[in-house]
């Protein structure tokens, strides 16, 4: 009875939880912490979405069990979104399933299609569910790079040549969480060709589909001819419509994968609360000005973050998409490592960030900064960071931060 449970033994301590606990303790002690650690949107959903939620919630018949695969109108709304945004034709009956956010969807799919001992290729660094969803299902993970360059494809070829059993699944996530890297359609065309040649399923996480900057829209893997033969893609309303706590997401693509996932989900849940699904329809089918507003807002925050932190003595590459910046530690403090640096930043600068090592060993040397505070708070964070860097003997160039 004293032995740990099998799946619990496969989960390491959640590194980011250490910083989260410190942040909570500091706030409980009355400190003003500028929280750039968790990717939790600070904006409200559109008013018409909230109104639809309330309207449907008032109906006496809206409170029973819903549909695990999602109500038909919502699956149709998601299919229409793919047609509008990506020019991809989707069958709402056989190629869409509604999920309780991307995380639940990825975990349910992993449960549906993974056997113990299967080898799954996943990026490192990556968002934890991209690896641990499959680890919990009994799979073995082989890491591939996150940066989508020639070394990425060389890594895929090595994995196929030297891994036993051969990998059966590849996870991709662009725009990447945590690195914010993006890809073009040529990358996906090459990837789909590779997957078809090697009989590998591709699972694409496109949670940040609408948070792109500099006029360069993100692409979907399903835009590639024949992609539906090998790929399934997850999207989410969390960031696009500021609906993170509503837990609304979708899986779209290959019919066999969708059917397997829907079957497993039918045993696990009854679907999201019907009024929430109705409100999600209103988000997808209604006015889309919120999407552009959110994109512009994060774009401005990105520019403020990069500029003000740069003037504070910490050079941060400008992300092309997502709500995150992937920041290398200031060179003079790189020896601290990402976890200790994050703790010191919280303790001395009252700024919370996420240590890169929490996203995999290749995340060491970086921190993830979430752009979830307003521009004024970002500038205040930069001023606090400048004082901390100066206290550590880092040459900040004498410029005024903010």
């Amino acid at each position: 009875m004293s032995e740990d449970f099998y799946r619990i033994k496969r989960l390491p301590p959640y590194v980011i939880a250490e910083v989260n606990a410190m942040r909570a303790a500091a706030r409980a002690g009355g400190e003003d912490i500028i929280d750039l650690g968790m990717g939790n949107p600070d904006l409200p959903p559109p008013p018409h979405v909230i109104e639809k939620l309330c309207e449907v919630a008032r109906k006496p018949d809206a409170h029973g069990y819903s549909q695990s695969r999602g109500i038909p109108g919502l699956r149709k709304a998601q299919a229409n979104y793919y047609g509008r945004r990506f020019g991809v034709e989707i069958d709402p009956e056989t190629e869409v399933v509604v999920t309780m956010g991307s995380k639940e969807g990825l975990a349910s799919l992993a449960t549906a299609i993974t056997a113990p001992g299967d080898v799954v290729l996943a990026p490192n660094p990556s968002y934890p569910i991209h690896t641990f969803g499959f680890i919990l299902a009994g799979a073995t993970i082989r890491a591939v790079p996150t940066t989508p360059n020639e070394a990425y494809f060389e890594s895929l070829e090595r994995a196929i040549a030297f891994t036993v059993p051969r990998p059966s699944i590849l996870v991709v996530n662009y725009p990447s969480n945590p690195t914010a890297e993006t890809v073009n359609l040529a990358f996906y065309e090459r990837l789909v060709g590779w997957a078809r040649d090697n009989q590998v399923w591709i699972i694409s996480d496109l949670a940040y589909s609408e948070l792109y900057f500099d006029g360069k829209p993100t692409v979907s893997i399903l835009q590639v001819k024949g992609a539906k033969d090998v790929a399934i893609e997850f999207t989410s309303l969390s960031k696009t419509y500021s609906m993170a706590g509503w837990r609304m997401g979708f899986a779209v693509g290959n019919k066999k994968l969708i059917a397997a996932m829907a079957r497993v989900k039918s045993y696990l849940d009854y679907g999201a609360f019907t009024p929430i699904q109705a409100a999600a329809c209103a988000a997808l089918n209604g006015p889309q000005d919120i999407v552009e507003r959110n994109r512009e807002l994060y774009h401005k925050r990105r520019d403020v973050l990069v500029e003000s932190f740069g003037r504070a003595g910490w050079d941060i590459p400008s992300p092309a998409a997502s709500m995150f910046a992937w920041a290398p530690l200031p060179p003079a403090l790189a020896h601290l490592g990402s976890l200790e640096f994050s703790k010191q930043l919280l303790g001395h600068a009252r700024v919370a960030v996420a240590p890169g090592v929490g996203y995999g060993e290749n995340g060491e040397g970086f921190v993830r900064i979430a752009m979830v505070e307003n521009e004024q708070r970002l500038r205040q964070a930069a001023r606090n960071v400048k004082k901390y860097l100066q206290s550590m003997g880092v040459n900040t160039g004498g410029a005024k931060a903010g």
Side-chain angles (χ1 to χ4, degrees):
M1 295 291 286
S2 62
E3 291 291 315
D4 279 344
F5 298 112
Y6 167 72
R7 284 184 174 79
I8 300 302
K9 285 194 288 188
R10 301 198 77 198
L11 295 177
Y14 195 44
V15 173
I16 297 167
E18 236 181 294
V19 179
N20 290 346
M22 283 182 65
R23 179 193 63 207
R27 280 190 163 160
E31 290 190 50
D32 178 23
I33 302 297
I34 301 173
D35 189 2
L36 309 179
M38 189 176 180
N40 197 9
D42 61 322
L43 308 165
H48 70 273
V49 172
I50 296 171
E51 285 161 15
K52 177 59 73 172
L53 174 74
C54 297
E55 174 196 323
V56 179
R58 289 190 188 98
K59 295 181 178 179
D61 61 352
H63 300 274
Y65 296 124
S66 192
Q67 294 188 27
S68 181
R69 290 179 63 234
I71 60 175
L74 184 52
R75 284 184 273 122
K76 187 176 180 182
Q78 177 67 353
N80 290 342
Y81 163 74
Y82 262 82
R84 263 195 328 265
R85 174 68 169 79
F86 301 113
V88 175
E89 191 173 324
I90 298 293
D91 182 349
E93 290 302 312
T94 60
E95 295 177 336
V96 181
V97 64
V98 178
T99 66
M100 295 181 191
S102 296
K103 267 178 109 168
E104 177 274 322
L106 281 154
S108 291
L109 180 62
T111 301
I113 68 173
T114 309
D118 281 359
V119 175
V120 174
L121 304 177
N124 188 336
S126 73
Y127 189 55
I129 195 67
H130 297 148
T131 52
F132 290 105
F134 291 94
I135 287 171
L136 284 168
T140 299
I141 301 295
R142 175 164 175 148
V144 295
T146 301
T147 300
N149 56 16
E150 197 57 38
Y152 177 88
F153 287 98
E154 290 169 5
S155 177
L156 294 185
E157 294 297 346
R158 282 197 307 275
I160 288 294
F162 299 116
T163 309
V164 179
R166 280 166 61 99
S168 54
I169 297 166
L170 168 68
V171 180
V172 294
N173 170 217
Y174 300 105
S176 167
N177 178 6
T179 71
E181 292 168 293
T182 58
V183 295
N184 57 23
L185 210 50
F187 173 89
Y188 282 143
E189 286 168 351
R190 186 173 175 185
L191 199 63
V192 167
W194 173 87
R196 294 179 78 165
D197 290 345
N198 292 287
Q199 297 184 302
V200 173
W201 294 114
I202 300 176
I203 300 172
S204 167
D205 184 354
L206 190 62
Y208 296 91
S209 59
E210 301 308 325
L211 292 187
Y212 58 82
F213 308 131
D214 307 314
K216 296 176 182 175
T218 54
V219 292
S220 162
I221 195 169
L222 299 182
Q223 290 174 259
V224 176
K225 186 178 179 182
K228 281 193 214 170
D229 295 339
V230 295
I232 188 171
E233 187 161 71
F234 289 89
T235 57
S236 165
L237 303 190
S238 294
K239 312 309 188 297
T240 308
Y241 299 98
S242 300
M243 294 168 65
W246 298 52
R247 308 314 302 134
M248 267 286 107
F250 304 90
V252 173
N254 180 270
K255 292 180 183 180
K256 186 175 181 180
L257 295 180
I258 292 289
M261 186 177 162
R263 187 167 178 183
V264 164
K265 275 178 62 63
S266 71
Y267 283 89
L268 296 177
D269 69 68
Y270 286 109
F273 185 39
T274 300
I276 290 179
Q277 294 197 51
C281 290
L284 286 166
N285 293 335
Q288 298 298 300
D289 50 326
I290 176 103
V291 180
E292 181 62 33
R293 276 205 313 276
N294 279 357
R295 187 183 302 129
E296 288 176 2
L297 182 137
Y298 283 113
H299 195 162
K300 287 177 182 173
R301 288 182 180 181
R302 178 201 71 171
D303 292 346
V304 166
L305 175 78
V306 171
E307 185 267 339
S308 63
F309 276 57
R311 292 175 66 195
W314 187 2
D315 290 329
I316 296 174
S318 183
S322 85
M323 62 194 300
F324 305 113
W326 187 237
L329 303 192
L333 300 179
H335 64 281
L336 293 175
S338 63
L339 181 56
E340 180 58 28
F341 175 77
S342 299
K343 288 179 178 179
Q344 291 205 15
L345 209 60
L346 183 60
H348 299 292
R350 299 183 301 285
V351 175
V353 297
V357 72
Y359 301 94
E361 62 186 70
N362 292 344
E364 185 52 272
F366 293 82
V367 295
R368 193 194 74 174
I369 303 174
M371 297 179 281
V372 291
E373 295 258 18
N374 63 39
E375 293 171 34
Q376 182 183 343
R377 295 277 283 172
L378 290 173
R379 292 187 189 280
Q380 180 61 55
R383 288 191 288 271
N384 294 2
V385 165
K386 183 182 177 73
K387 289 176 188 171
Y388 163 67
L389 294 178
Q390 288 174 335
S391 76
M392 296 294 285
V394 177
N395 181 7
T396 58
K400 182 183 176 186

